[in-house]
Amino acid sequence: MKAIGYILLCIALCWQFPIFGQKVSNDSLIKKANLEIYNNPDKAIGIAKKMLQTEKDINKIIRIYLIMSNAGIAKRNFEESLQYIVKAREFVQKTNDPKAKTSFFLTAAVQFQQMELYSKSFESLDEADVHIAKIQDADYKYFEIAKSYALRGMIYKNQSNPEIALQEFLIAIKNFEKVKENQQTYYNQSIVYYNIGYCYLSVNQLNNAESAFEKSMKFASSIKAKSLEAFALKGMAEMNKQKHRNQEALELLTKAISLSKDVGDLTLNEGIYKEMADNHLAMGNQNLYQEYNKKYFETRLKREQSELSSVDRAIDIHNMEAKKRNKEIVNQYNYYIGAVVLSGLAVFGLLFWRMLTIKKRNKKYQKEIQKLIRS
């Protein structure tokens, strides 16, 4: 499912575990923004923008930009999300905090994963693991390790390796369970169990899939994350479809539509409409099948346009950075050339001075020798 390929994008951006080793003065606003990410992303962005007006701490600013980026992803506005990540990167370059750097590289890994640049995603994950190793806070460390394994699982799942993906996801769950329970771990446990459910579906282990989707729903419901609840319901509906329980699947999908109406998640809506169309087709409801199939294709087109815009933006950013690096290399090259020329001139000047000194001394000796001869 295409939807699976996007849901984990929220992981690196939304896992706003208490970070950067400091007590945040506006914790309540950050918590409020996090709670709105899956229910009202625009509201989450609005709260974050207000915090940016007064925040001066670099690490806290990074955190706020990542919240905004995740909210952009929640409504599938990839270009907007990418812009916030780019802003976060500007501040990451100014900090040595391993937690800040870890969060950023995990976010970058998700971006590459979304663009299906899996080798680059793995490179970012490896870089994140380097900074994770420097983290002293045990709870935070387990939390970030879990995220890293979850992202690796996502990549393997997208590469149609569900067995390997399951291994990574299950390791992620074990690490999440080592962390003190809080809303952020529930968010991510819901997401990981959702993906575990789809892995089991792909290997036709329907009972295990059902159990995973139920756990995903349990964690999502406990924190009232409507978007995640809707995803879990969609997964359960697909499982029921495979069991030919089409009416039950439609009831679950109807609930999912109700939960997701304020979220504006194109990928979620696309998946729901496709499942609605498939189940109505299986039940012989041609009119309803055509209605939801049309909605499915319209939503898919919007999502693909959003993705294309995001990729174009990423290419522009890459080109700008390449030009900047080339300019730096040229400047550095010119500096080295200048240094070599100056050094050469200095050496030449020294040799020339030495030659003149020797020549002058030789003339003096010649005069003295001539005097001695004459005398």
Side-chain angles (χ1 to χ4, degrees):
M1 291 287 298
K2 185 71 173 179
I4 313 173
Y6 287 96
I7 184 62
L8 201 66
L9 183 56
C10 299
I11 294 178
L13 306 177
C14 174
W15 276 330
Q16 300 301 331
F17 195 75
I19 69 174
F20 309 145
Q22 301 179 27
K23 184 176 180 180
V24 182
S25 59
N26 50 10
D27 269 336
S28 59
L29 286 175
I30 289 176
K31 289 179 180 178
K32 185 177 180 181
N34 276 322
L35 288 173
E36 294 294 345
I37 285 173
Y38 288 105
N39 298 326
N40 193 330
D42 288 323
K43 187 174 181 180
I45 291 173
I47 295 170
K49 284 183 176 179
K50 287 182 180 178
M51 287 189 284
L52 282 176
Q53 293 174 0
T54 57
E55 190 56 67
K56 302 298 181 183
D57 185 274
I58 289 177
N59 293 330
K60 296 175 187 177
I61 290 172
I62 294 169
R63 181 179 183 182
I64 293 170
Y65 274 120
L66 293 183
I67 292 174
M68 296 168 72
S69 180
N70 185 64
I73 289 299
K75 57 181 181 175
R76 293 305 185 248
N77 189 330
F78 300 112
E79 184 175 6
E80 181 181 12
S81 174
L82 183 61
Q83 289 174 355
Y84 294 136
I85 291 174
V86 170
K87 292 295 294 183
R89 179 173 53 192
E90 294 176 8
F91 292 94
V92 167
Q93 294 171 348
K94 302 175 183 178
T95 183
N96 292 320
D97 192 306
K99 294 181 180 179
K101 289 183 178 294
T102 296
S103 293
F104 174 76
F105 281 109
L106 287 174
T107 299
V110 176
Q111 285 290 338
F112 287 129
Q113 179 257 328
Q114 294 307 303
M115 289 184 261
E116 299 183 0
L117 300 173
Y118 299 130
S119 61
K120 295 292 292 182
S121 187
F122 277 125
E123 286 178 15
S124 294
L125 286 172
D126 290 340
E127 184 70 28
D129 288 344
V130 171
H131 297 292
I132 289 173
K134 300 175 184 177
I135 297 173
Q136 300 298 318
D137 184 335
D139 267 0
Y140 191 92
K141 194 167 191 171
Y142 285 129
F143 192 78
E144 300 297 84
I145 290 172
K147 289 161 61 176
S148 181
Y149 275 107
L151 282 166
R152 292 176 189 276
M154 178 59 62
I155 295 171
Y156 287 123
K157 179 184 59 57
N158 288 353
Q159 293 176 323
S160 300
N161 292 314
E163 293 86 357
I164 300 176
L166 274 171
Q167 294 176 14
E168 303 294 305
F169 285 137
L170 293 174
I171 294 173
I173 289 295
K174 287 181 180 179
N175 279 279
F176 277 130
E177 290 173 348
K178 295 177 182 178
V179 180
K180 182 179 178 181
E181 293 184 352
N182 57 49
Q183 288 187 335
Q184 283 69 44
T185 55
Y186 292 159
Y187 274 126
N188 298 291
Q189 284 172 297
S190 175
I191 292 169
V192 175
Y193 272 119
Y194 167 83
N195 286 283
I196 288 173
Y198 268 102
C199 285
Y200 280 128
L201 274 182
S202 64
V203 294
N204 204 33
Q205 296 184 26
L206 300 186
N207 290 335
N208 287 335
E210 183 174 15
S211 175
F213 287 132
E214 287 174 351
K215 289 178 181 178
S216 177
M217 172 61 77
K218 172 188 170 185
F219 284 114
S221 299
S222 69
I223 53 177
K224 295 180 172 60
K226 294 180 181 179
S227 179
L228 296 183
E229 287 184 72
F231 269 108
L233 286 169
K234 184 175 72 67
M236 294 171 69
E238 187 162 347
M239 180 210 62
N240 277 287
K241 182 184 72 174
Q242 291 196 21
K243 291 185 175 182
H244 306 290
R245 300 195 300 232
N246 302 106
Q247 185 58 45
E248 293 179 34
L250 287 170
E251 291 172 2
L252 292 168
L253 291 168
T254 300
K255 292 180 182 178
I257 289 175
S258 177
L259 286 168
S260 64
K261 63 182 179 180
D262 296 326
V263 177
D265 187 326
L266 293 175
T267 300
L268 174 58
N269 292 338
E270 177 189 343
I272 291 174
Y273 293 145
K274 183 180 186 305
E275 290 302 308
M276 292 286 281
D278 288 349
N279 280 284
H280 280 300
L281 180 62
M283 296 176 68
N285 302 326
Q286 285 294 328
N287 291 336
L288 289 172
Y289 162 72
Q290 291 178 7
E291 176 185 341
Y292 282 106
N293 199 46
K294 180 182 178 182
K295 289 183 178 181
Y296 161 65
F297 279 110
E298 290 174 346
T299 308
R300 179 179 176 178
L301 178 61
K302 289 180 182 178
R303 174 184 59 76
E304 289 176 345
Q305 289 174 337
S306 177
E307 290 176 19
L308 182 60
S309 178
S310 176
V311 171
D312 288 341
R313 173 65 176 162
I315 292 172
D316 290 340
I317 292 170
H318 173 76
N319 290 337
M320 289 173 61
E321 290 185 344
K323 289 180 181 178
K324 183 179 178 181
R325 285 195 298 269
N326 289 339
K327 186 177 180 181
E328 290 174 352
I329 291 171
V330 170
N331 290 338
Q332 191 176 38
Y333 174 77
N334 291 336
Y335 171 80
Y336 286 137
I337 292 297
V340 169
V341 170
L342 289 174
S343 298
L345 289 173
V347 171
F348 177 78
L350 181 63
L351 291 174
F352 185 73
W353 173 81
R354 182 64 175 167
M355 182 184 67
L356 290 176
T357 302
I358 293 172
K359 188 175 182 180
K360 185 177 180 181
R361 186 179 61 186
N362 288 341
K363 285 182 178 181
K364 181 181 178 182
Y365 288 159
Q366 286 175 357
K367 288 179 180 180
E368 291 179 353
I369 291 171
Q370 287 176 358
K371 286 180 181 180
L372 288 173
I373 293 172
R374 290 171 184 172
S375 62

